[in-house]
Amino acid sequence: MKKNYILLIICFFVSIVVHAADFIIINKIMYDSPLNEQIAQSIPYSNGEYIELYNAGISSADMTGWTLRGGGTTETYNFPDNTIIAPKSFLIIAYQYYNSGFTVDQLYSGLYPSGNNQILYQRKIILSNSGEPVYLKDNQSLVRDSIYYDGTSSKTKPNRLSAENADGLSGNSCICLQRKTALFTDTGCAIPENLEWITALVNPFQLHISFITPVLPGLGLGYNYDLAGNRFNRGIIYLSRSSSYVKSNNNEETPAIHEEVGKHNITIYPNPTKGQLSLYINGYDENTAAEIRIYESSGKLIINTKVDAPTADFDLSAKAQGVYFLRIRINDDLLTYKIIKE
């Protein structure tokens, strides 16, 4: 009975904290439409381009006063007053050429908008095939999410985001940019990270993502979905994952993060730390591609480096006490850990 009572208290506070912020993310970018892409006088173009948003929170989000911005100075779309995105629901912002009568269901067969799957049309933002930034801002002009996709530019850039489609394809055969993970700051802003995106054949109103929304210190709500949009995991998770110890130079046990990632075993220690942080990748070889990024809880990136050896050290001594997020990519795996600076 006592255990159930404690769980009830945790769930109560989880509900309060999560309700305190809207967790809205950019979920898809379809910038290369197979329809009418030629820009010519009196010929419709850019029909079929869309930006898809997703409400990852547990409460409805009122988008009144929110804006979407593209790369051009005039590319600002203002959401209509009283636009509501229900929890775990989608909102598509699609381009519609003037007087063309285009609707997204003309491109995607079997697409049925509903109260949880909404579509709005606009003529402000044209998504450039050569790449551009997209920003989602709330009614306080705070950037809640953003992405810079590369399109046809920067073809030699590592981890570039590109999803090109041949003219004449059906929408159900088109690829687009799809978010696969999302990490939120303590103010409800998604941390922009292109490594969280993939190029995939995913139709509108489908989810392929795992995300973490902050709830209580050290706790988060985690969700995982497959490409068909089916949720296969949900639960309260511990962001620190500090479940093991390592021996320090003076033979004392030091709390550490230890986890198996593919064929590798990683250890990050000590956590909590007073400043010095070490990484060990067991199984590292010449085929291992690893990167480390460390963020403040506000989402500010403070360390961004490649790891080219089995061990690496990081110094947070000059940073304030508090919570930091460490993201490690090993080959195709991307994981996030909470680091405590004492």
Side-chain angles (χ1 to χ4, degrees):
M1 178 66 70
K2 183 178 181 181
K3 184 177 180 180
N4 292 337
Y5 180 68
I6 294 173
L7 181 60
L8 179 62
I9 293 176
I10 290 176
C11 292
F12 174 75
F13 282 105
V14 163
S15 177
I16 292 175
V17 177
V18 173
H19 271 83
D22 296 317
F23 298 101
I24 309 298
I25 56 173
I26 301 172
N27 186 51
K28 290 190 192 75
I29 298 284
M30 164 59 85
Y31 71 84
D32 188 14
S33 166
L35 297 178
N36 305 316
E37 285 274 275
Q38 181 180 359
I39 299 178
Q41 186 174 4
S42 301
I43 297 178
Y45 61 90
S46 294
N47 282 339
E49 295 181 354
Y50 68 84
I51 300 167
E52 183 181 85
L53 305 182
Y54 180 73
N55 182 357
I58 63 172
S59 58
S60 295
D62 186 350
M63 305 298 289
T64 301
W66 289 51
T67 59
L68 265 178
R69 291 200 59 184
T73 56
T74 62
E75 289 191 321
T76 299
Y77 171 75
N78 298 299
F79 288 87
D81 290 350
N82 302 315
T83 299
I84 306 297
I85 309 180
K88 310 299 180 288
S89 299
F90 301 90
L91 174 62
I92 286 177
I93 310 301
Y95 185 82
Q96 183 186 66
Y97 187 82
Y98 181 69
N99 278 344
S100 66
F102 169 77
T103 54
V104 178
D105 61 294
Q106 296 173 18
L107 181 59
Y108 291 91
S109 60
L111 184 70
Y112 302 105
S114 66
N116 292 333
N117 298 323
Q118 305 175 72
I119 301 177
L120 298 176
Y121 294 93
Q122 57 88 26
R123 290 191 292 272
K124 287 288 188 178
I125 301 174
I126 297 177
L127 297 173
S128 172
N129 283 15
S130 61
E132 69 173 302
V134 177
Y135 302 93
L136 175 66
K137 294 186 176 183
D138 65 15
N139 56 8
Q140 303 298 316
S141 295
L142 181 65
V143 177
R144 291 300 196 94
D145 198 6
S146 65
I147 176 180
Y148 184 94
Y149 66 90
D150 303 290
T152 56
S153 65
S154 307
K155 291 195 174 182
T156 60
K157 176 184 174 183
N159 305 315
R160 62 189 296 267
L161 290 177
S162 178
E164 301 176 42
N165 295 296
D167 291 346
L169 286 177
S170 71
N172 304 93
S173 300
C174 286
I175 58 176
C176 68
L177 301 179
Q178 166 70 56
R179 195 171 202 138
K180 63 176 183 177
T181 59
L183 176 67
F184 291 88
T185 69
D186 48 13
T187 58
C189 299
I191 297 177
E193 173 56 79
N194 278 22
L195 291 175
E196 294 183 325
W197 289 77
I198 58 174
T199 298
L201 177 63
V202 185
N203 288 332
F205 306 141
Q206 287 184 347
L207 198 64
H208 176 50
I209 192 168
S210 61
F211 53 87
I212 298 172
T213 56
V215 286
L216 292 174
L219 292 175
L221 285 180
Y223 303 82
N224 290 279
Y225 294 80
D226 61 21
L227 278 173
N230 301 308
R231 188 173 71 197
F232 58 84
N233 187 25
R234 175 189 183 276
I236 296 177
I237 62 174
Y238 293 88
L239 298 181
S240 62
R241 307 188 192 183
S242 296
S243 57
S244 64
Y245 293 83
V246 297
K247 293 285 187 179
S248 62
N249 292 334
N250 58 7
N251 209 36
E252 292 182 352
E253 287 190 335
T254 301
I257 296 168
H258 182 79
E259 187 161 340
E260 183 177 346
V261 184
K263 67 174 185 178
H264 303 90
N265 287 287
I266 64 170
T267 303
I268 302 169
Y269 63 95
N271 186 38
T273 178
K274 296 191 180 296
Q276 299 301 317
L277 194 65
S278 296
L279 166 72
Y280 173 63
I281 305 175
N282 186 15
Y284 184 97
D285 58 29
E286 67 275 7
N287 297 316
T288 302
E291 294 179 0
I292 288 287
R293 298 189 182 187
I294 300 179
Y295 300 86
E296 295 178 351
S297 62
S298 65
K300 180 182 179 181
L301 178 65
I302 58 173
I303 292 177
N304 180 11
T305 185
K306 291 185 178 180
V307 178
D308 54 7
T311 60
D313 297 308
F314 308 94
D315 189 0
L316 300 178
S317 300
K319 299 299 179 181
Q321 295 179 349
V323 176
Y324 295 81
F325 294 110
L326 183 149
R327 314 209 76 177
I328 179 170
R329 181 179 71 87
I330 300 181
N331 297 335
D332 294 328
D333 295 302
L334 181 66
L335 296 99
T336 301
Y337 305 94
K338 189 183 75 171
I339 304 297
I340 303 296
K341 166 69 188 306
E342 294 182 328

